[in-house]
């Protein structure tokens, strides 16, 4: 009877699958006696699945550990910070009218800036062949050219840094097996978007280098391509930040009620409105629409200016009429701060965790700060430091909106 009972049990306890789940016991000391003294585990001995998963070359466990998820989350958080830096630097480049100073694009060759006087003069001569110099900067000196050249050069080099920050660690984590199947697809999409962003940036610059004999306007890049360039950068930033927050922040187990569902949906809509407002800023920058009506709350002497529908067909006014573009940006900004205010008061009516309440309060404070920055930028005729701060504020507002959405996300069953 004892043999019938204990033989299967002994085989089960000795199976390799179960030994992975049970803490390993150190072998007895070889002292020649029967004492039960046990030694501590030596380096290289692991007692849990997570320990095995973190060891290179051990392929017995395919799922990455929580520690690996934290590392990936921190990496994506750093990546989103580099994208934010690229957006801010790109905004300053646009505000200083430096984006058309480099008239060609080479992935490797242009990484080395001019060093001698002859090289700088050759670069300046290339710039003099294009419309911006002929129409706008025909009296520019070499020293002034160096300033705008270095602004564009810094933006391009920062873009290369962003690409390396994504691609190199992604390849390392992939090889280590620290990415789940879902994360692999997302990381591939992020790396692809980084490469697309670089190509889109040059496609945008080319639009400002083209000769337009029938136009007497100031040479500038296409506002459509500028919006596409900014929009893809914002998508890259939001996707990276959302993924990092999902990996780093522990998820709240909120009681699913009708009020919570309404709050969650309203938070999603508010974040979308903030994104759309930031994107509309690209059309304002591309058309210099911030210099059209420098008054608030009225536009000139009226609430609705007369030249709002100057172009034909009417749809062109939304994207090509500076007056309409500024008007739309004002309306979207007011709608965004109104939505954030309503979202805050809705959040006060529901018992939420402390971290979620902090996110809602921070979003409210940033929204009103951003409105103040926007009005000040407009009234002071768009000074570069203030305008750059306003552009940075839109990124901060979008970040906190994503944080609040992440706090309210549904716990998977």
């Amino acid at each position: 009877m004892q043999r019938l009972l204990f033989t299967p049990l002994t085989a089960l306890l000795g199976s390799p699958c179960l030994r992975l789940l049970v803490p390993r016991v150190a072998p007895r000391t070889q002292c020649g006696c029967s004492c039960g003294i046990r030694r501590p585990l030596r380096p290289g001995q692991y007692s849990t699945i997570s320990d095995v998963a973190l060891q290179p070359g051990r392929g017995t466990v395919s799922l990455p550990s929580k520690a690996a998820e934290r590392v990936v989350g921190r990496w994506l958080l750093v990546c989103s910070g580099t994208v934010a830096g690229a957006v801010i630097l790109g905004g300053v480049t646009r505000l200083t009218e430096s984006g058309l100073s480099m008239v060609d694009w080479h992935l490797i060759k242009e990484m080395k800036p001019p060093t001698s006087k002859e090289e700088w003069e050759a670069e300046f001569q290339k710039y003099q062949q294009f419309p911006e110099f002929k129409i706008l900067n025909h009296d520019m000196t070499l020293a002034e050219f160096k300033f705008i050249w270095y602004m564009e050069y810094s933006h391009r080099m920062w873009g290369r840094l962003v690409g390396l920050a994504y691609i190199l660690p992604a390849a390392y984590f992939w090889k280590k097996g620290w990415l789940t199947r879902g994360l692999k697809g997302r990381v591939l999409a992020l790396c692809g978007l980084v490469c697309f962003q670089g190509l889109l940036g040059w496609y945008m610059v080319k639009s400002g280098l083209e000769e337009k004999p029938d136009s007497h306007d100031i040479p500038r890049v296409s506002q459509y391509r500028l919006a596409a360039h900014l929009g893809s950068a914002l998508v890259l930033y939001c996707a990276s930040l959302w993924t990092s927050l999902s990996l780093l922040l522990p998820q709240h187990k909120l009681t699913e009620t009708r009020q919570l569902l309404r709050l969650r949906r309203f938070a999603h809509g508010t974040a979308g409105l903030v994104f759309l407002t930031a994107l509309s800023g690209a059309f304002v920058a591309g058309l210099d629409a911030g210099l059209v009506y420098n008054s608030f709350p009225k536009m000139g002497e009226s609430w609705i200016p007369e030249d709002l529908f100057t172009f034909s067909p009417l749809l062109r006014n939304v994207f090509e009429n500076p007056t309409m573009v500024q008007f739309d940006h004002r309306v979207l900004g007011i709608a965004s701060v109104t939505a954030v205010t309503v979202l805050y008061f809705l959040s006060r009516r529901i018992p939420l965790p402390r971290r979620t309440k902090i996110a809602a309060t921070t979003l409210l404070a940033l929204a009103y700060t951003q409105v103040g920055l926007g009005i000040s930028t407009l009234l002071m005729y768009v000074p570069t430091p203030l305008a750059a701060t306003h552009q940075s504020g839109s990124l901060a507002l979008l970040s906190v909106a994503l944080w609040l959405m992440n706090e309210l996300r549904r716990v998977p069953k």
Side-chain angles (χ1 to χ4, degrees), residues 3 28 31 37 66 77 80 85 170 192 197 201 229 255 264 304 313 363 365 383:
R3 183 176 300 175
R28 297 176 185 272
C31 59
I37 301 175
K66 292 295 182 183
L77 189 62
S80 63
Q197 178 72 359
H229 188 48
T255 304
R264 184 183 291 136
I304 301 178
L363 184 64

Side-chain angles (χ1 to χ4, degrees), residues 7 14 41 44 60 70 73 101 115 124 144 153 179 217 220 260 291 303 342-343 378 388 406:
T7 300
L41 294 176
T60 55
R70 286 194 296 271
S101 56
T115 53
F124 192 25
E144 293 170 334
Y153 175 79
L179 302 176
D217 198 3
R220 55 167 66 97
L260 179 61
L291 299 173
W303 292 100
V342 173
L343 179 64
L378 185 69
N406 196 273

Side-chain angles (χ1 to χ4, degrees), residues 58-107:
R58 293 178 179 262
T60 55
V61 180
S62 59
L63 292 179
S65 67
K66 292 295 182 183
E69 287 185 356
R70 286 194 296 271
V71 172
V72 174
R74 289 167 186 162
W75 161 59
L76 288 175
L77 189 62
V78 171
C79 286
S80 63
T82 61
V83 176
V87 172
I88 295 170
L89 187 56
V92 175
T93 303
R94 177 68 189 90
L95 288 166
T96 55
E97 297 182 346
S98 307
L100 300 178
S101 56
M102 296 180 70
V103 296
D104 47 18
W105 189 88
H106 302 283
L107 183 61

Side-chain angles (χ1 to χ4, degrees), residues 378-395:
L378 185 69
L379 297 179
M380 297 177 67
Y381 291 86
V382 197
T384 298
L386 195 57
T389 306
H390 179 55
Q391 293 175 352
S392 305
S394 65
L395 270 180

Side-chain angles (χ1 to χ4, degrees), residues 60 131 184 200 230 261 289:
T60 55
K184 284 181 178 179
L200 191 58
L230 176 62
L261 180 61

Side-chain angles (χ1 to χ4, degrees), residues 11 24 28 37 46 52 122 137 140 153 163 195 203 214 262 273 281 295 336 356 366 369 383 409 413:
R24 290 187 57 183
R28 297 176 185 272
I37 301 175
Y46 306 100
V52 177
N137 295 331
M140 174 176 280
Y153 175 79
C195 298
Y203 179 66
D214 299 332
R262 181 172 57 186
L273 191 58
S295 57
S336 295
T356 310
L366 278 177
T369 302
R409 72 188 190 275
K413 294 183 180 179

Side-chain angles (χ1 to χ4, degrees), residues 136-152:
L136 184 64
N137 295 331
H138 51 84
D139 56 348
M140 174 176 280
T141 64
L142 181 60
E144 293 170 334
F145 171 72
K146 285 183 179 182
F147 172 77
I148 64 171
W149 191 94
Y150 270 120
M151 286 297 304
E152 174 65 10

